[in-house]
Structure formats: C-alpha cells, structure tokens
Amino acid sequence: MKEGPLDQLIRALAGLPGLGPRSAQRVALHLLTQREKSMKPLMAALEQTAQSVRTCGICGNLDLSDPCRICADPRRDSAVICVVSGVAALWAVERTATYRGQYHVLGGLLSALDGIGPGDLRIEPLLRRVTENDVKEVILGLSATVDGQSTAHYLTDRVTAAKPGLKVTRLAHGVPVGGELDYLDDGTIATALRSRAAL
Ligand SMILES: [Zn+2]
C-alpha cells in the first residue's frame, strides 16, 4: 500500500529526537484536531525558520541573524567565552539566564574512538578569538565524560599556549540541585568532595 500524507507526517515526527512511533501518532492526532490553533502556526514557524536560520560566523550558534543575537549584544561581556560542544549545550546554559558572557561552539568533542581530531572541531577559530580580542577568561562548559575531559585538557593546553596568563576555568562537577546523596554514583560524590566550596 502506498504511504499517504498522514503516514508520512507520522514517520517524519517519529524521526524527531525524543519521539517514538506512539508519541508521533499522538502529536499527529493533536495537530489534525487543532489545525487552526496548532498546525498552522507550527507550519508558519517551520517555514520561516527553515528559510532564515543561519550559523553564527563568530560563535557557531544557530540563529536568524549572523552574527547571532548573543554575539551582537553589546551588554554581553566579550572578555569571557564559554566553550560548549554543541548548540544544545549553548541553549542549556542560556536557559539559566545567569551567564552574561559569550560562547564558542566546538561542533563536537575530541574522540579517539570516533576518529574526531582537533582539525574536525572549531578550535582554530577559538584560538583566533582569544588572541585577537580582549578575552580574559575561557570557561570550558564541556561534559563530564572521557571525551569531554580529554577535550578540556587539550583546549587548556592550546589556549594557554596561544595566550599566556589567560584564565581557564571549568564548570564544577558535583551534587545536582535536589539530588539525594545515596542515589548518586561514587564518582560524582568523590568529585563533589574534592571540589567542595566554603560556605
Ligand atoms: Zn554568535
């Protein structure tokens, strides 16, 4: 039997992150029954963003303008750059509304297993930003995984070699807000204990 538009819609939705076949059917049904309220505004938003989305030439963020709104904002502190692996991590930090510096998207992490080397990431543009501008601190906002930590070590060596005296920091690893100690893994507790802070 030939696949109709409704099957295509469900298949396209099921391919999205976080949605499986069942939730894709639920979303499709919602859109079909709420054509005016949900489906048409979604169509318009998809159409507009598909046409105008850009990768920021400075930081690598995805936005409707290049430079992106963060890089173009004069109220942001251009002396601090937070390095993240991808746009999802950038948006996650931005959601906290506590960070007022700028970003640099690497486009991944170094990984010997996946064959990702320094040339595959946006490391040279980062070194240029750090040396050519008045950057005083680089925050390594990378994940607490083997690849995240080896990327952090590599970047620390490269940026401090490119600009001696530059402050390089990383996010603290520890007990999550609302986290019960007895549910945490030993590595998290050990790291939290080592990086404990005075009150
Ligand atoms: Zn930008």
Side-chain angles (χ1 to χ4, degrees), residues 56 58-61 67-68 71:
C56 176
I58 300 173
C59 74
N61 187 17
C68 72
C71 288

mmCIF file of all heavy atoms in Angstrom, residues 56 58-61 67-68 71, ligand 1:
data_model
loop_
_atom_site.group_PDB
_atom_site.id
_atom_site.type_symbol
_atom_site.label_atom_id
_atom_site.label_comp_id
_atom_site.label_asym_id
_atom_site.label_seq_id
_atom_site.Cartn_x
_atom_site.Cartn_y
_atom_site.Cartn_z
ATOM 1 N N CYS A 56 26.038 31.280 13.191
ATOM 2 C CA CYS A 56 26.797 32.490 13.517
ATOM 3 C C CYS A 56 28.265 32.291 13.146
ATOM 4 O O CYS A 56 28.889 31.310 13.549
ATOM 5 C CB CYS A 56 26.653 32.804 15.004
ATOM 6 S SG CYS A 56 27.649 34.222 15.524
ATOM 7 N N ILE A 58 30.742 33.891 14.178
ATOM 8 C CA ILE A 58 31.661 34.120 15.294
ATOM 9 C C ILE A 58 31.650 32.931 16.246
ATOM 10 O O ILE A 58 32.675 32.311 16.510
ATOM 11 C CB ILE A 58 31.295 35.421 16.049
ATOM 12 C CG1 ILE A 58 31.388 36.618 15.090
ATOM 13 C CG2 ILE A 58 32.219 35.617 17.256
ATOM 14 C CD1 ILE A 58 30.886 37.925 15.685
ATOM 15 N N CYS A 59 30.460 32.601 16.782
ATOM 16 C CA CYS A 59 30.415 31.596 17.855
ATOM 17 C C CYS A 59 29.902 30.233 17.408
ATOM 18 O O CYS A 59 30.108 29.239 18.099
ATOM 19 C CB CYS A 59 29.569 32.114 19.018
ATOM 20 S SG CYS A 59 27.793 32.117 18.689
ATOM 21 N N GLY A 60 29.214 30.154 16.266
ATOM 22 C CA GLY A 60 28.702 28.865 15.800
ATOM 23 C C GLY A 60 27.286 28.560 16.257
ATOM 24 O O GLY A 60 26.769 27.481 15.993
ATOM 25 N N ASN A 61 26.646 29.510 16.944
ATOM 26 C CA ASN A 61 25.261 29.349 17.373
ATOM 27 C C ASN A 61 24.330 29.342 16.145
ATOM 28 O O ASN A 61 24.695 29.838 15.087
ATOM 29 C CB ASN A 61 24.902 30.531 18.303
ATOM 30 C CG ASN A 61 23.545 30.373 18.952
ATOM 31 O OD1 ASN A 61 22.970 29.292 18.993
ATOM 32 N ND2 ASN A 61 23.024 31.475 19.471
ATOM 33 N N PRO A 67 26.119 38.102 12.689
ATOM 34 C CA PRO A 67 26.287 37.430 13.977
ATOM 35 C C PRO A 67 24.957 37.203 14.711
ATOM 36 O O PRO A 67 23.995 37.944 14.495
ATOM 37 C CB PRO A 67 27.152 38.401 14.778
ATOM 38 C CG PRO A 67 27.669 39.413 13.830
ATOM 39 C CD PRO A 67 26.804 39.390 12.633
ATOM 40 N N CYS A 68 24.973 36.195 15.607
ATOM 41 C CA CYS A 68 23.760 35.855 16.336
ATOM 42 C C CYS A 68 23.428 36.951 17.350
ATOM 43 O O CYS A 68 24.234 37.841 17.602
ATOM 44 C CB CYS A 68 23.937 34.511 17.034
ATOM 45 S SG CYS A 68 25.058 34.550 18.450
ATOM 46 N N CYS A 71 26.165 37.315 20.163
ATOM 47 C CA CYS A 71 27.411 37.974 19.744
ATOM 48 C C CYS A 71 27.178 39.454 19.447
ATOM 49 O O CYS A 71 28.080 40.272 19.623
ATOM 50 C CB CYS A 71 27.987 37.280 18.516
ATOM 51 S SG CYS A 71 28.693 35.671 18.872
HETATM 52 ZN ZN ZN B 1 27.260 34.175 17.826
#
